[in-house]
Amino acid sequence: MAPPRAALPEVTLAVLAASSQAEAGHEKTSTGFWPLVIGSIGVVYGDIGTSPLYALREALMHAAGDGLSESEIIGVVSLLLWTLTLIVTLKYVVLILRADNNGEGGTLSLLALAQKALGRRTFLLVIGVVGASLFYGDAVITPAISVLSAVEGLKLVTPGLDAWVLPITTVILVSLFLVQSRGTGHIARFFGPITLVWFLVMAVLGISHIGDRPDILYAFNPWSAIGFIYRHGFMALIILGSVFLAVTGAEALYADMGHFGRLPIRFAWSLVVFPALALNYLGQGAFLLSRPSALENPFFLMAPTWALLPLVILATVATIIASQAVITGAFSVTQQAIQLGLIPRLEIRHTSEEQFGQIFIPRANLVLFVGVMVLVWTFESSGRLANAYGIAVTGDMVVTSTLAFLVFWRVWKWPVALVAAIITPLIALELVFLASNLLKVLDGGFVPLGIAALLSLLMWTWIQGTAIVYGKSKRESIELDALAAMLCKSKPLRAKGTAVFLTSDATIAPSSLLHNLKHNGVLHEQNVILTISVADVPRVPDDDRIMIEQLPDSFVRVLLTFGYMEEPNVPKALALAKKKGLKFEIMSTSFFLSRRSFRASKHAGMPLWQDYLYIGMAKSAADASNFYSLPTNRVVELGQQFTV
């Protein structure tokens, strides 16, 4: 796969780790297993954990018609339970969480695994780009609707806050996005215990009312759900759009795997989250069977009068926390998109010495914040945003299942009949949910689709432009060993000191080296061909940081390895190379970078408008000189122009 050359000129960061090492790094950390379980409850399951507030109510509102029968209540509860079982437990917890890429999850992890078996196929890239774009669409909507619904819930306590809904929402969102830089671990330590209390309260509420009508337990029978769909026909398709609200947030379960690890997420779901959700839905169903008039708000009406105010406050906090799941998931997806060459290189900050996947991406955080605020102030209420909710999630789930089919079959070598028997029913179910949500396109569903379309265009433009640049660069390249042999014969003029040429491929002569020879006609006394990599450990010992290989004539090939928590300070690392025989003095060393500039052309490559789009994206990429702490007075940038 061609590296994203325009992002950090001539430098690619490779994560050097076997999957077994990554698994150990994610699931056996010094923070302890149970703190990760508690943290995952707050961050990973915050979104799906708030669904009992509205999922059953909205589904039954559509089903009520002329009245609400007992079979309809049991049928909808059965639909909710089996949707959670099939989509979340079977698909994500049991199957999809096994498919990690160096400990990371998400749609793009599946794409990377599929590419290992099938190569960089165009149809795989299209699937991956669409899936990632849909996830971003959900990541923008979820914080907006979650926080809005939370603040609107406060009106139950103080009706006078109606005029302050948008200002309070804005303050909360600003605070939420500001604390992202502190790292997921710090946030989880605050959110996790609160969300754990929330799930325990939901479970207690449910248990306290199941005895009202024990026949609600018939909802465990899948025929109750199937019979409900059969009796309601086309109306069942509309109702399923509301039933699906129960699993919005499930995609974050997989995307956030790098933040907490597979086992903590599985334990949290099995021991706390799923039992609490199931008990609460059963309790709400039994409560409605005994008191159909409570349909207006069954969740809150289940609580005793004295507990209503504390429950509203707890629900408000829990709903705010719900947005954290997709924010952290968006960081993971962004990092993977960079590694796969789908977007330009962005600054990534690692916020934990124990968990490699706990990251903060400032630019992604800013883009998400702006998108969320635009939605909040455009739609102004969670009710108006509700119709936009679900389309992006169902689309992303269909993409995930499609990629999972390929991974299970071609990577894990499962028999195709077995894979089809497992995945095909899941895809069919998700397509039904997608169809039900597509009925809401004109009522607000165009928002996530529009966001996904825009992001797909940006990613595809970056892929095409990078391929054009890489192809032209490859055609003009010379193998380093061949160049060294030629220079031994031609004896070019020598300049005093050391020249360091940064490159992503140490076997090819860097373009900055070729341009220096072409324009200046000189070669330094010592020429270091430098490649930089990042390991999946927090810090690399000095003894393991440097690998040196002497080449013919005056060339030396050097590999520097940094831990993911370390600042990649190249001059400081090269100073350590003296112990291994490399002659290095910073005051007699020049660092050569290739600064690529791009020119649009309507006669070659992409359409003209797409050329300008690619050029703008390339200019936004992180700067290599600052990123690697190179002394500005020792850096020489040699320009290279490409027509895209």
Side-chain angles (χ1 to χ4, degrees), residues 94-332:
V94 175
L95 294 173
I96 301 296
L97 280 183
R98 299 183 60 194
D100 70 289
N101 184 35
N102 288 332
E104 289 290 339
T107 303
L108 295 183
S109 287
L110 283 175
L111 173 63
L113 291 172
Q115 286 182 336
K116 290 179 182 178
L118 301 175
R120 193 178 172 91
R121 304 287 185 88
T122 300
F123 80 94
L124 282 179
L125 278 176
V126 171
I127 292 173
V129 165
V130 171
S133 300
L134 287 169
F135 183 88
Y136 282 118
D138 178 53
V140 173
I141 293 176
T142 297
I145 193 172
S146 296
V147 179
L148 266 175
S149 63
V151 177
E152 289 167 352
L154 290 175
K155 292 187 291 185
L156 292 174
V157 180
T158 309
L161 286 175
D162 192 9
W164 290 88
V165 167
L166 289 181
I168 292 174
T169 298
T170 301
V171 170
I172 292 173
L173 287 170
V174 169
S175 302
L176 180 63
F177 280 95
L178 282 177
V179 300
Q180 296 302 316
S181 61
R182 295 177 59 85
T184 305
H186 294 282
I187 297 170
R189 280 194 286 272
F190 173 70
F191 284 169
I194 295 176
T195 312
L196 176 61
V197 172
W198 168 249
F199 280 113
L200 294 177
V201 169
M202 284 199 299
V204 170
L205 281 174
I207 292 172
S208 66
H209 286 282
I210 290 177
D212 294 351
R213 287 289 298 269
D215 52 331
I216 190 63
L217 297 178
Y218 283 118
F220 282 118
N221 187 342
W223 288 110
S224 298
I226 295 171
F228 178 89
I229 294 173
Y230 176 78
R231 290 192 302 272
H232 287 78
F234 180 77
M235 178 58 66
L237 190 64
I238 299 174
I239 295 169
L240 284 174
S242 298
V243 170
F244 188 78
L245 294 173
V247 293
T248 53
E251 75 288 352
L253 180 154
Y254 181 42
D256 283 334
M257 182 164 60
H259 293 262
F260 297 96
R262 176 190 303 144
L263 287 179
I265 291 175
R266 280 178 167 170
F267 267 76
W269 174 257
S270 303
L271 297 181
V272 178
V273 180
F274 184 49
L277 292 174
L279 288 170
N280 192 268
Y281 285 127
L282 289 168
Q284 286 191 56
F287 183 62
L288 287 171
L289 285 173
S290 61
R291 288 182 55 188
S293 60
L295 181 59
E296 179 186 359
N297 206 325
F299 181 87
F300 286 111
L301 291 175
M302 282 197 301
T305 304
W306 61 266
L308 181 59
L309 177 58
L311 183 60
V312 170
I313 295 173
L314 180 61
T316 300
V317 177
T319 315
I320 294 170
I321 292 172
S323 60
Q324 184 61 47
V326 291
I327 294 175
T328 53
F331 292 158
S332 295

Side-chain angles (χ1 to χ4, degrees), residues 445-459:
F446 60 87
V447 173
L449 293 179
I451 294 172
L454 176 60
L455 290 173
S456 295
L457 173 63
L458 292 174
M459 291 185 189

